[in-house]
Amino acid sequence: MGQAAPAQKSEALKAYRINPGDELEVYVWGEERLQREVKVLPDGTFSFPLVGRIDAVNKLPSEIEALITEGLRAQYRDQVPHVTVSVKVPAMQFFVAGKVRTPGTFTPGRYVNALEALGMAGGPSDFADLNGIAIIRKQGSALVVIKVRLADVLKGNPTPAELAAIPQIESGDSVVVP
């Protein structure tokens, strides 16, 4: 029983994808002059010496490493030095509005689910409709509404199906509690 919890936790964590506003650290091994801290612009790009503009939004750090490595290939006769990219300061941000105690914009620095987002906003206020919560998410040029039911979860002793149905918050989401 004690061994199942770590396995479930690791399955629940998902790889971090780059967001506008993230601060990245890029290191090209053996080339200190190419070590940089860069900020991803609002359009999802950043510039890197000898490579140019890189489209980073929604990519994994390993995908950015591959793009930089490929961009540097023409500069080296032999093997391109190893490139590492790490997220120094994540800029994941979401907004909570409606019947919560402290509505506003939140930057958690990690992925959170709808229940955690509600907690960050101070919890529901009196008369909040916990089965009518909506997450408004941008997908391309469209807005998608994801309905969330948290009343039974907040009453305690939720079922595994109810816990599994709690959606993850993505950067740019708006959580509305009626």
Side-chain angles (χ1 to χ4, degrees), residues 118-154:
L118 185 63
M120 290 176 154
S125 62
D126 296 337
F127 307 112
D129 178 5
L130 298 175
N131 283 333
I133 298 171
I135 299 173
I136 301 170
R137 179 170 295 159
K138 295 176 191 171
Q139 288 185 340
S141 61
L143 293 177
V144 176
V145 176
I146 301 165
K147 291 294 188 177
V148 182
R149 300 175 57 87
L150 291 178
D152 291 339
V153 173
L154 289 172

Side-chain angles (χ1 to χ4, degrees), residues 7 9 25 33 41 61 67 70 76 81 86 97 100 137 139 154 157 177:
K9 183 177 182 182
E25 183 174 45
R33 64 190 171 93
L41 299 172
L67 289 171
E70 187 58 35
Y76 292 88
S86 56
V100 292
R137 179 170 295 159
Q139 288 185 340
L154 289 172
N157 201 20
V177 182

Side-chain angles (χ1 to χ4, degrees), residues 18 22 36 55 103 118 146 168 171 176-177:
I18 306 299
D22 283 353
R36 295 278 189 282
D55 183 16
L118 185 63
I146 301 165
Q168 288 283 331
S171 189
V176 180
V177 182

Side-chain angles (χ1 to χ4, degrees), residues 2-77:
Q3 294 176 356
Q8 289 174 347
K9 183 177 182 182
S10 66
E11 290 173 11
L13 296 176
K14 64 183 203 178
Y16 185 81
R17 295 202 172 265
I18 306 299
N19 295 297
D22 283 353
E23 289 184 31
L24 307 177
E25 183 174 45
V26 182
Y27 188 80
V28 180
W29 292 93
E31 294 288 345
E32 284 75 24
R33 64 190 171 93
L34 291 178
Q35 181 173 349
R36 295 278 189 282
E37 289 182 10
V38 296
K39 189 167 189 165
V40 179
L41 299 172
D43 68 356
T45 65
F46 69 91
S47 293
F48 194 77
L50 305 175
V51 177
R53 184 168 288 227
I54 296 173
D55 183 16
V57 74
N58 287 327
K59 289 188 172 60
L60 298 169
S62 60
E63 293 172 318
I64 303 298
E65 291 169 359
L67 289 171
I68 293 172
T69 300
E70 187 58 35
L72 291 173
R73 193 165 308 283
Q75 306 297 320
Y76 292 88
R77 291 183 188 167

Side-chain angles (χ1 to χ4, degrees), residues 91-100 102-108 112-114 116-118 120-121 133-138 169-177:
M92 185 195 168
Q93 195 172 62
F94 62 90
F95 180 73
V96 181
K99 293 182 181 169
V100 292
T102 54
T105 301
F106 300 90
T107 307
V112 297
N113 63 31
E116 292 169 308
L118 185 63
M120 290 176 154
I133 298 171
I135 299 173
I136 301 170
R137 179 170 295 159
K138 295 176 191 171
I169 300 297
E170 293 182 7
S171 189
D173 282 356
S174 294
V175 181
V176 180
V177 182

